[in-house]
Amino acid sequence: MKKSFILLALCIPIFYGSARGQSLNKQSVAREILNDAKLDTIQKRALTLLKGFSAGTSYNEVWIRDFTTFINGSLKTHDPGTVKNVLLMFFKIQGNDGNIVDGLVDTSKAHGGYEYRYSKLLPAWAAHKNTVETDQESSLVQAVKKYIDATGDNSILMEVIDGKTVIRRMEDAVQYILNDRWSEKYQLVKGATTIDWGDVQPESGWGVAINNKTKWAIDIYDNAMFAIALRDLVAMKPAGYSFTRDWSAVAARLKTSVRSHLWSAKSQKYLPHIYLDGSPFKPDFDENKILYTGGSICAIIAGFNTVAEIRQINRQMNEAASKEKFATIGMTVYPPYPAEQFPNMHPYIYQNAGDWTWFGGRIAEALLPYHMEADAYEALKPMIKRTILHKGFFEWYDVQNGKPKGSGDFRGEAGVLFDAITLLKDWANKQVKK
């Protein structure tokens, strides 16, 4: 009895010290964040850039998949009504089947080679839809939720456009996915074969449109985005409004299917694709060795993983980044697809292992709810550093030489960094007040 008491007494300060040590470490991280002047610089520069709505200097379009990632910054630089009108534009040109377009552009600049769509409700604007993607509908729902969260203006939900309220139009949008982009066999969202969250098919030619070469597949990004959209839709339900179906049940079924078919418990990672009508790659190519980072981060945000799994995903992303001199966890995939497998996009180019802060920067949103603040901050540091170094926000970076590539003044990167820093600062301020 006496011996047991002594052992217990010895254990008490050890446990207390461990908890106290964790608390002190969090305080240290919080102070470092609040004293990091580079974070302030990035946010100021981001707000300067976010006075516009097009994706960047190389793009004339307002893209919904981009806009949803910088709408919070836009609401800091524009009055809410201006931002609200941009959101409503996408509903004014919504398809009769509920589908949402990718991009909107002034008709005088509609020369991108796309099949353009027009609407009497949106004069002087043209729109187009990248049909290999399955994230436009989910992106718009998420953007409306962010608008309401930031402004408190939920009147947008009952705005009537051509006889339908916005909330009903959002239901139509997610129903479109179930009607047109749904695998009954797997109970998951489908799309064309692309690299992670990318929008280009493997085969050479015009890679952004469904064609006779398209191989239909299921990936984690599309399903994570849909899950987040369903969660947001349910959270936005106006008082007294009746949904056309039980969207919470759809979301629950989706998570079960993701866990059953896309998550590999053995490798603690998501499978790149499940193919519905054959793979576009050669039989001897083992695609499952490739790590998808952006989709994995979105999956964490969607709530698909346990804390232990999230730590494994984070470890694998950091391990992959360590293998290239200038990489961060924003490196889209690793290793890249060989050129003979993906002729439309060679290794280390664009979405084939290019490094995108636009997705890597979302790590803060992914990790902070799981008390992994230090991990999130450490992951963001190299992204912040290179943004300062190159004096601007760029579409992507070459992991082999560190050079910025693609569009300059890329608003997606600016918006994601603005949001990530805001989340870190909010956490840090709460921590130091304890």
Side-chain angles (χ1 to χ4, degrees):
M1 184 75 175
K2 185 176 181 181
K3 183 177 180 181
S4 298
F5 176 79
I6 292 171
L7 287 173
L8 179 61
L10 288 172
C11 287
I12 290 173
I14 294 173
F15 290 138
Y16 172 76
S18 175
R20 184 170 181 272
Q22 289 178 7
S23 177
L24 288 173
N25 181 58
K26 286 183 179 292
Q27 290 280 328
S28 176
V29 173
R31 285 193 293 271
E32 184 179 352
I33 290 169
L34 295 176
N35 292 325
D36 190 343
K38 295 188 293 296
L39 303 184
D40 300 327
T41 299
I42 291 294
Q43 285 199 305
K44 288 177 183 177
R45 291 181 181 178
L47 291 180
T48 298
L49 178 58
L50 295 179
K51 292 176 181 177
F53 294 103
S54 67
T57 50
S58 297
Y59 302 102
N60 293 314
E61 296 93 346
V62 180
W63 302 85
I64 189 55
R65 64 175 356 204
D66 296 67
F67 186 44
T68 192
T69 62
F70 65 80
I71 188 171
N72 285 324
S74 293
L75 285 164
K76 297 290 185 181
T77 58
H78 297 276
D79 65 89
T82 299
V83 177
K84 180 179 180 178
N85 286 335
V86 175
L87 288 172
L88 294 178
M89 288 169 68
F90 284 93
F91 291 109
K92 289 178 180 179
I93 205 163
Q94 183 175 14
N96 292 331
D97 59 358
N99 84 80
I100 300 298
V101 297
D102 249 332
L104 297 168
V105 65
D106 187 297
T107 52
S108 65
K109 299 177 181 178
H111 309 300
Y114 299 98
E115 183 178 336
Y116 288 99
R117 180 191 300 180
Y118 300 89
S119 170
K120 63 181 180 181
L121 301 177
L122 201 63
W125 287 86
H128 57 81
K129 186 175 181 68
N130 179 327
T131 53
V132 305
E133 295 174 26
T134 312
D135 69 345
Q136 301 97 330
E137 293 76 21
S138 297
S139 295
L140 182 55
V141 173
Q142 291 176 39
V144 174
K145 177 64 161 54
K146 290 178 181 179
Y147 169 82
I148 292 173
D149 286 348
T151 66
D153 175 23
N154 61 6
S155 68
I156 187 175
L157 298 173
M158 302 311 292
E159 288 266 352
V160 177
I161 298 173
D162 200 22
K164 284 187 179 181
T165 60
V166 165
I167 185 68
R168 179 55 192 269
R169 286 184 171 275
M170 286 195 290
E171 283 200 86
D172 289 348
V174 294
Q175 184 62 48
Y176 163 78
I177 295 177
L178 295 180
N179 291 344
D180 195 74
R181 296 299 178 96
W182 188 253
S183 166
E184 286 295 333
K185 177 180 179 180
Y186 292 100
Q187 295 292 290
L188 289 167
V189 177
K190 68 179 182 180
T193 299
T194 63
I195 297 177
D196 196 6
W197 50 266
D199 55 2
V200 179
Q201 298 179 108
E203 296 84 3
S204 58
W206 187 237
V208 299
I210 298 295
N211 54 41
N212 59 6
K213 296 180 181 179
T214 296
K215 292 296 184 182
W216 289 95
I218 294 167
D219 64 44
I220 187 56
Y221 169 69
D222 291 338
N223 284 279
M225 287 291 284
F226 190 48
I228 297 167
L230 290 173
R231 181 176 69 198
D232 287 349
L233 180 64
V234 171
M236 286 187 283
K237 181 178 177 293
Y241 179 81
S242 297
F243 279 140
T244 57
R245 66 187 303 167
D246 186 348
W247 296 112
S248 293
V250 175
R253 179 181 62 186
L254 182 73
K255 180 176 180 178
T256 298
S257 298
V258 166
R259 298 291 304 180
S260 297
H261 302 297
L262 278 171
W263 175 251
S264 170
K266 181 179 179 180
S267 59
Q268 291 288 285
K269 63 187 284 291
Y270 285 98
L271 301 177
H273 292 106
I274 298 171
Y275 292 102
L276 303 179
D277 56 355
S279 167
F281 307 119
K282 296 176 182 178
D284 60 349
F285 177 62
D286 188 0
E287 188 186 19
N288 287 341
K289 290 183 178 179
I290 296 177
L291 176 70
Y292 275 22
T293 60
S296 298
I297 291 172
C298 290
I300 297 172
I301 296 171
F304 289 156
N305 294 98
T306 66
V307 175
E309 290 168 349
I310 291 167
R311 293 190 182 281
Q312 284 297 318
I313 292 170
N314 189 51
R315 180 192 63 77
Q316 290 181 51
M317 291 193 299
N318 279 285
E319 183 179 316
S322 71
K323 294 179 180 178
E324 297 293 341
K325 185 175 181 180
F326 296 97
T328 74
I329 63 166
M331 181 170 55
T332 317
V333 294
Y334 199 82
Y337 285 82
E340 61 269 23
Q341 303 292 342
F342 216 102
N344 241 350
M345 202 179 299
H346 283 203
Y348 299 106
I349 301 298
Y350 205 55
Q351 294 154 0
N352 193 6
D355 196 320
W356 296 69
T357 300
W358 185 33
F359 275 85
R362 303 181 201 197
I363 196 65
E365 183 181 357
L367 297 187
L368 283 174
Y370 299 96
H371 309 294
M372 298 173 65
E373 303 87 4
D375 297 88
Y377 183 39
E378 287 301 316
L380 282 170
K381 282 181 178 179
M383 303 180 206
I384 299 295
K385 181 179 179 181
R386 70 185 176 194
T387 305
I388 297 286
L389 174 66
H390 296 292
K391 298 182 174 64
F393 300 96
F394 291 87
E395 193 171 10
W396 61 283
Y397 299 82
D398 191 318
V399 301
Q400 297 181 298
N401 58 32
K403 292 182 179 179
K405 299 286 185 176
S407 179
D409 289 345
F410 186 58
R411 292 189 172 91
E413 177 180 84
V416 165
L417 285 180
F418 179 85
D419 285 354
I421 292 168
T422 297
L423 289 171
L424 285 174
K425 286 182 175 179
D426 287 348
W427 170 80
N429 278 314
K430 291 175 183 176
Q431 193 66 32
V432 298
K433 290 177 181 179
K434 288 183 179 180

